[in-house]
Amino acid sequence: MLVVTLALAAVGFALLVVALMTGSVVWAWGCIVVCVAGAVLLLVSALAGKKATVVPGQPASGVPGDRGTAADTDTTPGSDETD
């Protein structure tokens, strides 16, 4: 979502330049609309990232290399081999 926000910022800047060069209010309003949409996406992304924080004392899920507690204890019958 950050890439979309950056793209919207670039489009908004381009619209601002066009608005200044042509003196048209329509292009300026287009710039405002695009920048507000980018700000909303950035806010949503920040709030979603804040919700995904790891609670201390609990294992993080989805972390590369984290196999959890199931990989530590093997309860499969007949698995007496050791590594």
Side-chain angles (χ1 to χ4, degrees), residues 26-62:
V26 175
W27 292 108
W29 278 108
C31 170
I32 291 170
V33 169
V34 168
C35 289
V36 167
V40 168
L41 278 178
L42 188 62
L43 182 64
V44 167
S45 176
L47 291 177
K50 191 170 267 199
K51 280 186 179 180
T53 57
V54 177
V55 177
Q58 292 184 355
S61 61

Side-chain angles (χ1 to χ4, degrees), residues 8 16 34 38 54 64 80:
L8 285 174
L16 177 65
V34 168
V54 177
D80 295 332

